[in-house]
Amino acid sequence: MDDAISFSDVTVGCARLQLAVRQTPDTLRCKTVIYGGVQRACLILVRKGVQHTLGALVLAKQLRQAGQRVVVELQADEDVLKKLSNQEQFDVIMISSPDGECRNELRSTVNKCRQFWSSSNIVVGGSIVEFNKDIVCSVNADHATNEWQEALDICN
């Protein structure tokens, strides 16, 4: 947090954490339980070019362990969203965003998601939520949270 770690150390550390998350068997933590008794279709997005993937992968793992159906897109742009919209409908779209991400670009992504999935709830999460209390209004999202249970609860 004090910029005391080199870029390469951070990069290698994050890569190792991502690998550990992917390789951790679901049975190690808990048995799959459907959260709230309902299985939802969840789309987790990280915009193309945004270097913010660890949180999205951890979120996907948590949602899968809670019995949700999850699609993760770590390089989301308009073409990817359009292709996904032709293939699947989602109950909730979760956009993981770092604090430094441009609000205009994030708003554009939210608006594209609304265009392609008009009935889906759109939730913004990530460090942008911690430092921007007005993020819901400024990017046109339905909700902002870093708690997956809260994100699923707005689908009810």
Side-chain angles (χ1 to χ4, degrees), residues 16-114:
R16 287 179 179 159
L17 281 172
Q18 285 180 350
L19 182 62
V21 168
R22 285 184 182 162
Q23 291 179 341
T24 302
D26 289 339
T27 55
L28 183 63
R29 293 191 206 153
C30 64
K31 291 187 177 186
T32 299
V33 175
I34 302 220
Y35 179 79
V38 178
Q39 185 180 53
R40 296 164 191 87
C42 306
L43 173 61
I44 300 173
L45 297 178
V46 175
R47 285 187 338 89
K48 187 173 186 173
V50 174
Q51 302 293 314
H52 180 79
T53 59
L54 180 59
L57 294 175
V58 170
L59 172 62
K61 188 78 167 183
Q62 290 172 318
L63 289 170
R64 287 182 179 124
Q65 288 177 332
Q68 306 307 304
R69 193 167 51 85
V70 180
V71 173
V72 179
E73 180 52 59
L74 299 178
Q75 292 291 312
D77 61 12
E78 185 174 355
D79 293 335
V80 168
L81 296 176
K82 186 173 183 177
K83 182 179 177 184
L84 276 172
S85 72
N86 290 328
Q87 297 171 350
E88 248 181 288
Q89 290 300 311
F90 297 98
D91 299 306
V92 61
I93 299 168
M94 301 175 182
I95 304 173
S96 185
S97 181
D99 179 40
E101 186 168 6
C102 175
R103 287 186 189 206
N104 290 335
E105 292 177 10
L106 183 55
R107 184 182 316 108
S108 176
T109 299
V110 169
N111 290 336
K112 285 295 175 193
C113 289
R114 288 204 187 284

